[in-house]
Amino acid sequence: MATILIVAAAGYFVLEQVGQDKAKAAAAASPTSGPTVPVTVALAENKDVPIMIRGLGTVQAFKTVAVKARVDGQIVKISFNEGQEVKAGDPLFQIDPRPFQAALEQAKAAKQRDEAQLSGAQLDLDRYGKLIGSGFQSRQSYDQQKTTVDSLKASITADQAAIDNAELNLTYADIRAPISGRTGQRMVDLGNLIQAGQSTTLVIINQIKPIYVNFTIPQYANHHLRKRQSNTPLPVFAYSADDKMKLAEGQISLIDNQIDTATGTLRLKGEFANTDESLWPGEFVNVRLEVGMHKDAVTVPQRAVMQGANGYYAFVIKPDNTAEHRAIEVEMNQDGMSVIAKGINVGEKVVVDGQYRLTNGSRVRIDQPTAAAPAADKAG
């Protein structure tokens, strides 16, 4: 009886060992063998994606005026601070007005003198005219008196011109802002003697509300740009130099009339309201020009897209939690998102973190991204 039990136990052990060997062999032949790889995934989504063209731009003041003196004299008053916002007509500098006031009074006195002389000459002319018929005055005397009257009339006209010029110089002595804008560095100080012939710049005023951004785009975008611009002004966006912060949104105001043959680029100008003064003259910015809209595009995070020797690829998670190495076609990358032309369908899961440890058929464990701690917890 004991012998039978020993034989039965040995037979069971042999059968169990054979079963385990088969299971191991099947596991070794399975493509899902190996350790489970933790990954983070995202869903492929349908989105309307704006088609953007990028360029490098320079901020330009809407208007720039170099304020200069029109008359000679000494600066006796400065009515603004450097960097101050001024309005058109605000006083800036005052040149000593006394010489111009004296010239004005002199011109007015000369006119009054000539008007008095004209009044007497006109009376004599009238008397000569009445005496010509009776023979008490000659025609020659009458003509000479008429010439005197005409000469005095011309002198009065010249006197009036001198008055106008003196008043204009007196106005020029009071230098005011020609446009609204922000003043720059003051180039002269109180008490300086300035001369109009030297063309010395007193201060520069830049109008920055609104403001321009000059930039260039590749020539291939010209036809799409002109077609859309004919219907409605195209929106343009200005970003910071590191391309991370959106500064302002405006619209195209100028498309240059020719393409630069040396660089193959087209120069554009965008106009921005700049009410918050986020753009500053001379600043370099990154520019994005919206030339169209990609409707119902298949999009995935750009981190999910990798590039190999044969082109772009991504790892797609199948229903059995295995990774599939799939070749894809990328239409465009924008703002951390890739538009997929071919290879991924809406709703499929793509790996965005952990793909460097994956091979085709690897088993995966899907982890959720770590959520940011609430503000209260951070404070605590």
Side-chain angles (χ1 to χ4, degrees), residues 218-277:
Q219 63 176 359
Y220 70 80
N222 178 41
H223 302 292
H224 302 288
L225 173 68
R226 292 173 57 82
K227 183 177 180 180
R228 285 208 59 195
Q229 182 74 2
S230 61
N231 298 327
T232 181
L234 291 177
V236 60
F237 307 91
Y239 282 75
S240 58
D242 58 6
D243 207 25
K244 294 181 179 179
M245 182 171 63
K246 181 179 175 181
L247 300 177
E249 178 179 348
Q251 59 185 16
I252 293 299
S253 61
L254 170 68
I255 301 175
D256 202 2
N257 57 2
Q258 65 177 6
I259 293 173
D260 188 339
T261 56
T263 60
T265 57
L266 178 64
R267 182 171 295 278
L268 305 176
K269 181 184 288 187
E271 182 177 331
F272 298 80
N274 202 35
T275 54
D276 58 353
E277 298 184 355

Side-chain angles (χ1 to χ4, degrees), residues 27-299:
S30 172
T32 60
S33 62
T36 300
V37 179
V39 296
T40 304
V41 300
L43 291 178
E45 300 178 336
N46 257 137
K47 290 183 179 179
D48 293 341
V49 181
I51 302 174
M52 298 286 191
I53 297 177
R54 297 171 181 261
L56 182 63
T58 305
V59 182
Q60 173 191 340
F62 190 78
K63 292 179 182 177
T64 298
V65 175
V67 179
K68 299 181 179 181
R70 296 186 180 185
V71 292
D72 301 343
Q74 185 180 29
I75 295 179
V76 295
K77 185 178 181 181
I78 297 176
S79 305
F80 71 99
N81 296 319
E82 294 176 315
Q84 177 183 334
E85 188 82 20
V86 296
K87 296 181 179 179
D90 285 353
L92 300 177
F93 299 91
Q94 178 68 59
I95 297 175
D96 188 356
R98 291 175 296 176
F100 310 108
Q101 185 66 47
L104 176 60
E105 297 300 330
Q106 185 177 6
K108 288 181 177 180
K111 182 181 179 182
Q112 290 176 353
R113 179 196 62 205
D114 290 338
E115 286 176 340
Q117 292 178 353
L118 175 61
S119 178
Q122 185 66 52
L123 292 175
D124 289 341
L125 180 63
D126 293 341
R127 285 193 292 266
Y128 288 176
K130 295 177 180 178
L131 295 175
I132 287 178
S134 60
F136 290 100
Q137 283 290 344
S138 64
R139 171 61 64 176
Q140 182 180 4
S141 298
Y142 176 83
D143 292 340
Q144 288 176 346
Q145 188 63 28
K146 187 174 185 304
T147 301
T148 301
V149 170
D150 292 340
S151 177
L152 288 172
K153 288 181 178 179
S155 296
I156 291 174
T157 302
D159 293 338
Q160 183 60 50
I163 291 173
D164 294 341
N165 185 64
E167 289 177 342
L168 191 59
N169 287 337
L170 187 59
T171 301
Y172 288 160
D174 182 20
I175 302 175
R176 295 179 175 267
I179 62 172
S180 298
R182 187 175 293 274
T183 60
Q185 180 180 359
R186 191 179 65 245
M187 304 299 182
V188 294
D189 295 322
L190 188 69
N192 281 345
L193 182 64
I194 57 176
Q195 296 179 341
Q198 293 181 349
S199 297
T200 302
T201 298
L202 306 181
V203 69
I204 293 178
I205 300 176
N206 283 333
Q207 182 178 347
I208 59 177
K209 300 176 186 178
I211 204 166
Y212 287 132
V213 173
N214 287 308
F215 64 101
T216 57
I217 62 172
Q219 63 176 359
Y220 70 80
N222 178 41
H223 302 292
H224 302 288
L225 173 68
R226 292 173 57 82
K227 183 177 180 180
R228 285 208 59 195
Q229 182 74 2
S230 61
N231 298 327
T232 181
L234 291 177
V236 60
F237 307 91
Y239 282 75
S240 58
D242 58 6
D243 207 25
K244 294 181 179 179
M245 182 171 63
K246 181 179 175 181
L247 300 177
E249 178 179 348
Q251 59 185 16
I252 293 299
S253 61
L254 170 68
I255 301 175
D256 202 2
N257 57 2
Q258 65 177 6
I259 293 173
D260 188 339
T261 56
T263 60
T265 57
L266 178 64
R267 182 171 295 278
L268 305 176
K269 181 184 288 187
E271 182 177 331
F272 298 80
N274 202 35
T275 54
D276 58 353
E277 298 184 355
S278 57
L279 299 176
W280 209 251
E283 179 183 9
F284 289 101
V285 294
N286 287 291
V287 180
R288 303 182 191 181
L289 176 64
E290 184 178 327
V291 296
M293 183 68 69
H294 197 304
K295 296 288 187 179
D296 295 327
V298 180
T299 62

